[in-house]
Amino acid sequence: MNNQNKRAQELEQFAFSLGLQFKDIGLLDVALTHPSCANEHRGIRHNQRLEFLGDAVLDVVVSDYLFHNPDLDEGMLTKIRANFVEEKSLAHYAAVLGLGNYLLVGRGSEKEGDRSRPAVLADTFEAVVGAIYKDRGLMAAKDFVLRIMQEELEQASRQKPQENYKSLLQEELQKNGSIDIKYVLVDQKGPSHEPIFTVEVSVRGKNIAQGSGKSKRLAEQQAAERAFGILFGKKGR
């Protein structure tokens, strides 16, 4: 058995262990080939293009999953998604799956320990997702990603929303009686499909702080947070 056939057989077994079945095992081979290896061996394809594709697929899959939770506003959706597609998280999943054990790297990269470097592992995970998408389509890629991430995604989506600074500011200011608090829209910029609002909060007629956001609600929250810090010198509870 030559090295190419041996590699294909190993990858077939590895794919099976991951619950995957490739029509073209060569795509998984490319996904598990670091650029440093391709640089040392002419004619070998590396995983950067599949990494690019997998990055986009991950964004879609994670965004779509979180979107179905109506309790999450845009800010929380963005924050949770960012936590799951960042390098640290993807490197963790890659390590759990053992992707580094099958990654082909160049001699120099091997000496530098790139096989276990977080950035390399994260890129490899994205490339594998891209390979699954190319081989089997979006549903297969979605099934793979959620099989790995769903439990943690569910936990993250149950997080308590970020502090409601409008409520905190009102509560703190009105401990000793009613106080006039107003939020006024002072500016709106950008195109109609992507506006940026600026809101100013005043207390007893005195302007305290401004905030900006993609909606009036988000701008008001930022203004309230800044006012809270200015008036009380502390973050929300």
Side-chain angles (χ1 to χ4, degrees):
M1 181 182 297
N2 60 37
N3 290 337
Q4 188 173 0
N5 288 338
K6 182 179 179 182
R7 169 73 170 172
Q9 187 179 72
E10 288 176 346
L11 292 182
E12 291 277 10
Q13 294 173 348
F14 180 50
F16 181 78
S17 73
L18 298 179
L20 300 170
Q21 187 173 7
F22 278 83
K23 291 182 287 187
D24 179 7
I25 198 64
L27 284 167
L28 181 59
D29 190 23
V30 174
L32 293 171
T33 300
H34 189 259
S36 63
C37 181
N39 291 339
E40 293 181 4
H41 301 278
R42 185 177 300 177
I44 292 181
R45 292 185 295 162
H46 58 73
N47 62 11
Q48 286 186 328
R49 284 172 60 82
L50 285 175
E51 171 204 333
F52 166 80
L53 183 60
D55 175 64
V57 173
L58 273 168
D59 270 353
V60 170
V61 170
V62 174
S63 297
D64 181 68
Y65 181 86
L66 294 173
F67 179 80
H68 287 86
N69 185 335
D71 295 327
L72 298 175
D73 62 20
E74 181 189 6
M76 283 299 289
L77 289 170
T78 300
K79 180 180 178 181
I80 295 173
R81 181 184 62 189
N83 288 340
F84 276 86
V85 299
E86 68 174 359
E87 178 183 296
K88 182 179 179 181
S89 295
L90 298 184
H92 165 71
Y93 294 125
V96 169
L97 296 174
L99 299 186
N101 298 331
Y102 294 86
L103 182 64
L104 298 179
V105 299
R107 290 187 294 272
S109 289
E110 187 75 75
K111 291 180 181 178
E112 292 294 325
D114 283 350
R115 184 188 299 279
S116 59
R117 193 157 59 89
V120 172
L121 287 174
D123 290 347
T124 304
F125 184 85
E126 290 176 334
V128 169
V129 172
I132 297 169
Y133 172 78
K134 285 296 293 179
D135 189 75
R136 291 286 181 172
L138 181 59
M139 287 307 299
K142 179 180 178 179
D143 289 345
F144 173 74
V145 171
L146 292 185
R147 183 150 44 86
I148 296 166
M149 297 185 177
Q150 186 167 2
E151 183 177 351
E152 290 179 281
L153 279 169
E154 286 181 357
Q155 292 176 352
S157 65
R158 295 193 204 104
Q159 289 177 9
K160 180 182 178 182
Q162 292 176 326
E163 297 278 17
N164 185 334
Y165 280 96
K166 286 187 68 175
S167 295
L168 289 173
L169 182 64
Q170 181 175 332
E171 178 183 332
E172 194 73 24
L173 286 170
Q174 296 186 348
K175 281 183 175 179
N176 298 314
S178 180
I179 290 180
D180 185 36
I181 306 169
K182 288 186 178 180
Y183 294 87
V184 179
L185 179 66
V186 295
D187 196 16
Q188 179 179 338
K189 296 180 179 178
S192 58
H193 68 280
E194 198 172 2
I196 297 296
F197 299 92
T198 299
V199 168
E200 190 170 70
V201 58
S202 64
V203 178
R204 291 197 180 103
K206 180 180 179 181
N207 296 332
I208 304 298
Q210 290 187 351
S212 298
K214 293 182 179 179
S215 70
K216 293 179 183 178
R217 181 181 54 78
L218 291 173
E220 288 173 354
Q221 283 291 339
Q222 187 180 87
E225 180 178 1
R226 289 175 175 172
F228 195 95
I230 291 170
L231 296 173
F232 304 108
K234 57 184 177 180
K235 290 285 187 179
R237 293 185 303 243

